[in-house]
Amino acid sequence: MAVARSSRNEAAGPRTGAEIREAFLAFYEQRGHRRMPSASLVPEDPTVLLTIAGMLPFKPIFLGQQQRPAPCATSSQKCIRTNDIENVGRTARHHTFFEMLGNFSFGDYFKQQAIEWAWELSTVVYGLDPKNLVVSVFREDDEAEQIWRDVVGVNPKRIIRMDEADNFWASGPTGPCGPCSEIYYDFKPELGDEGIDLEDDDRFIEFYNLVFMQSNRDAEGTLTPLANRNIDTGMGLERMAQILQKVPNNYETDLIFPLIEAAADLAGVDYHQLDDKGKTSLKVIGDHSRAVTQLISDGVTASNLGRGYILRRLLRRVVRHGRLLGIDKPFLKAMGEAAIALMQAVHPQLLERKQVILAELQREEARFLETLERGEKLLADVLAAQPKQISGVQAFELYDTYGFPLELTQEIAEEHGLAVDLAGFELAMEQQRQRAKAAAVSIDLTLQEAIDQVASGIDGTDFRGYEQLEQSSSVQAVVVNGDPAQQAVAGDVVQVVLDTTPFYGEGGGQVGDRGTLAGEGHDGDGLIVSVESVSRNRSVFVHSGRVERGTLAVGDVVQGRVDRTCRRRAQANHTATHLLQSALKQVVDPGIGQAGSLVNFDRLRFDFHCPRAVSSEELERIEVLINSWIADAHELQVQEMAIDKAKAAGAVAMFGEKYADVVRVVDVPGVSMELCGGTHVANTAEIGLFKIVSESGVAAGIRRIEAVAGPAVLAYLNERDVVVKQLGERFKAQPGEIVDRVSALQDELKTTSKALQAVQAELAVAKSTALASKAIAVGDFQLLVERLDGVDGSGLQGAAQNLSDQLGEGAAVVIGGLPDPADQGKVILVAAFGKAVIANGQQAGKFIGGIAKRCGGGGGGRPNLAQAGGRDGAALDGALDAARQELGATLQSDVRG
């Protein structure tokens, strides 16, 4: 039985966050666990946006989908949760970013050993007094209770049985599951052992959760014992730090408080002197600064979708809470630097990606500040009207026009005791949702389920395609038209799994090979299957294509032949991609990192982190450099080695990619060295030529270069040559004269357009002069509302201003028309008000915007001159009648007043 240390020894135990983390990992490492690095916050599991639990990287192992890396493991896993973001800073222990310490057994030790070690770690290593500890068990787990009571020696009154909602874990409706047991810290043990309520957050904090995966649940809910029972545990680092550092909340530990102090310095305030509202803002900044720094480090960029939206939302909350504290200048870079300095010792990649992190923080803050002030003013105007709630239309306008996340509007509204009409907001968003659905890529789930089914029963495919392009193989499984089958006949669309294959399966950005499967068949006519693509389902290669002739059956021996031309093209493009990354690092920035790639038979695409566009001069230098490396005929060296050794040798890894312990290193000596499983040329001379096709931005801080290499360059140049010849014939110019000829035509067109606009403006003024006589006197005011078609916006503005000048300071002029009388879909409305009209409270911008809505549009402008537009020409006359009546009534009222 474990024995707790005395309070004297407790003082000598781990105290800092770093000491607590290291003590946990070392404790389990000394007990045979393999220490595993933290996985990325961007998980491989497609069912979740972010890594939300310490066990998530091990989920495929627990589900039997991957081999275990060791019998047991331990890790400190970075996690992000935003489901209860509104509680961050308001409670003692809610966070977005946190670290989960865990020990895991993959069919090795089980319940008793896990419980004994958890108690030893808590009481001996961390020095917690058993009097301060309470244990929970699942209501039906007599075994766990017996171990805690009889083996460990916990007071039975401090062992609490809890229901399934709290103390039972399941991977889903069916599959592995089991009871949990948790250790709680009691801040008030003097209250005794009677009537313990673990829901009392002021008294208790759960800090260690032990999950005993011991059963499998079927569709009927029946539990059967697992052949290999597993252990999954989690200890919140921040919670243990609060306990051991004896502070009132997680935020005041050394894991977060230095960031709170940094924010307080920027705001010129003292955390301890602030009220609860001010402290909450500092806590939000401290918490979110850790989260956004880690997210950007793991390759997330701000956007309006998925994990990018989560990052944007967190960043904008930081900015807003900074403004609440009085920080009136950009400060995210300073917070990013503080967060990196705080966490870089345990997360060294933060330092490696420092420039990328700081650039993204600055860029997103600048983007938000551009619209934040206007958005806050609009929301303040809405709140000043003292509404019962924020309407869905208003919330959507803030979101759509000013970049306000809905959650931010809700948060501000809540501070004023108001709710937001979410149904109205969703209604306003429906059109965008429909467009998003139309653009979504559909997935054949039935086919995927069939492939998953056949792949689950196969150990893996032996890939031989590095050495040879033809291979005799045995058919292991066949899927026909989406269903597992024993055979396929001519005309069937099939997915085929072989025991060995020469075909490269899509991965690492490179598309899968094409080719054929040939055999004797079963009817004497032979067998031919065209292979159109090859994908991977974990370690199983799936060959997709069509049976062109004969019959294919499970167990057949076939000859796989890779299309050599396609393979050569893919190899050339893939090696060229490696050369492109090296050239970008040399010419643009050594800190550039890959954000994605596509290696096709006809082209290549390379996405990379860069805060600016690559100049045309830089692109030219990159092209010259790559083609010089090609001409130098570098022999590639490919070898397998331990990942640590590869990284020490300088091999570049794609950030966020998960690698095995032994990796394949592709080395172009003196030029490029990368971890890569793709296929490559043997010598750079095989590439032939390299040509950049385009450079563009695809997301905030992400640039894209598209290029061609090898035989594809000739096709690209031929296509361009045809275009140049056609232009030359049309402009009667030699190729070298085309640019000058087009420039001359553009200058001529610009001059003609200016002259035409001037004539149109003069014509509009001339037409409008005749309208002045139609003005109606309303007291001291002159009201004129008329229609004038065939004049563009600038012409109508000139006409309205001219009439206003003629009619004097009491002029109230509104003119509307169709620029093209044949086009009923474009309406222009202009208002021009004199000084006296403005002095009486009328503004052209506000007035004309309301009138334009009658024509299905909107707009506005200055108090004296404004323009609006519409889409319904048929409604123009009615809109002008309404303008005449409303403005006339308002001016008449002013006269009477």
Side-chain angles (χ1 to χ4, degrees), residues 13-299:
R15 283 294 174 271
T16 69
E19 290 172 347
I20 295 167
R21 183 191 300 107
E22 178 56 30
F24 185 100
L25 297 175
F27 177 85
Y28 283 105
E29 193 172 33
Q30 292 162 6
R31 287 156 180 78
H33 291 62
R34 180 172 178 178
R35 188 185 296 215
M36 303 292 290
S38 173
S40 169
L41 287 172
V42 179
E44 291 186 349
D45 187 339
T47 64
V48 290
L49 277 178
L50 296 165
T51 299
I52 57 174
M55 64 78 64
L56 191 65
F58 301 111
K59 182 178 175 183
I61 301 171
F62 288 131
L63 296 178
Q65 297 171 348
Q66 284 184 11
Q67 294 294 317
R68 63 184 188 178
C72 44
T74 184
S75 69
S76 178
Q77 176 60 47
K78 301 181 296 184
C79 300
I80 288 273
R81 290 182 191 170
T82 58
N83 56 311
D84 51 6
I85 193 173
E86 68 280 355
N87 290 324
V88 172
R90 298 181 180 181
T91 69
R93 57 201 65 142
H94 277 94
H95 299 293
T96 55
F97 175 83
F98 59 96
E99 285 187 63
M100 188 61 72
L101 304 170
N103 55 288
F104 309 92
S105 168
F106 312 117
D108 189 50
Y109 64 87
F110 196 56
K111 194 174 295 184
Q112 179 167 331
Q113 186 66 82
I115 288 174
E116 289 188 83
W117 277 341
W119 187 259
E120 181 183 358
L121 176 68
S122 301
T123 60
V124 178
V125 177
Y126 291 138
L128 301 181
D129 192 327
K131 293 186 299 183
N132 291 88
L133 302 182
V134 177
V135 171
S136 71
V137 297
F138 178 50
R139 64 170 186 265
E140 299 172 9
D141 194 354
D142 297 333
E143 180 187 7
E145 181 178 24
Q146 182 269 327
I147 295 170
W148 283 115
R149 183 187 65 239
D150 301 337
V151 179
V152 175
V154 175
N155 180 346
K157 292 185 177 181
R158 297 183 77 82
I159 302 174
I160 311 299
R161 289 182 180 250
M162 300 187 75
D163 290 333
E164 189 168 3
D166 296 300
N167 277 60
F168 195 90
W169 177 89
S171 60
T174 61
C177 57
C180 307
S181 185
E182 299 165 327
I183 308 179
Y184 288 76
Y185 188 81
D186 182 357
F187 290 104
K188 303 173 183 178
E190 67 276 7
L191 295 180
D193 303 332
E194 301 298 331
I196 287 178
D197 178 12
L198 294 179
E199 298 296 322
D200 182 354
D201 288 341
D202 290 333
R203 179 177 176 183
F204 299 103
I205 180 174
E206 177 224 326
F207 66 87
Y208 205 172
N209 182 23
L210 315 178
V211 178
F212 312 122
M213 290 188 216
Q214 62 189 43
S215 305
N216 184 73
R217 180 157 51 194
D218 62 22
E220 283 72 41
T222 303
L223 299 179
T224 55
L226 285 172
N228 292 314
R229 300 180 299 177
N230 304 311
I231 291 292
D232 159 29
T233 79
M235 174 186 287
L237 175 62
E238 291 78 9
R239 295 188 177 199
M240 182 55 76
Q242 179 197 345
I243 295 168
L244 294 180
Q245 293 174 20
K246 302 184 184 303
V247 291
N249 55 69
N250 294 359
Y251 296 94
E252 295 184 38
T253 67
D254 67 341
L255 294 166
I256 304 176
F257 197 66
L259 298 179
I260 291 177
E261 290 182 311
D265 288 343
L266 290 168
V269 298
D270 182 345
Y271 169 82
H272 297 289
Q273 300 301 317
L274 289 174
D275 58 14
D276 289 343
K277 185 177 180 181
K279 286 182 178 179
T280 295
S281 288
L282 283 176
K283 290 174 182 177
V284 169
I285 294 173
D287 171 90
H288 289 10
S289 294
R290 295 203 308 165
V292 299
T293 301
Q294 292 282 4
L295 281 170
I296 298 170
S297 175
D298 279 356

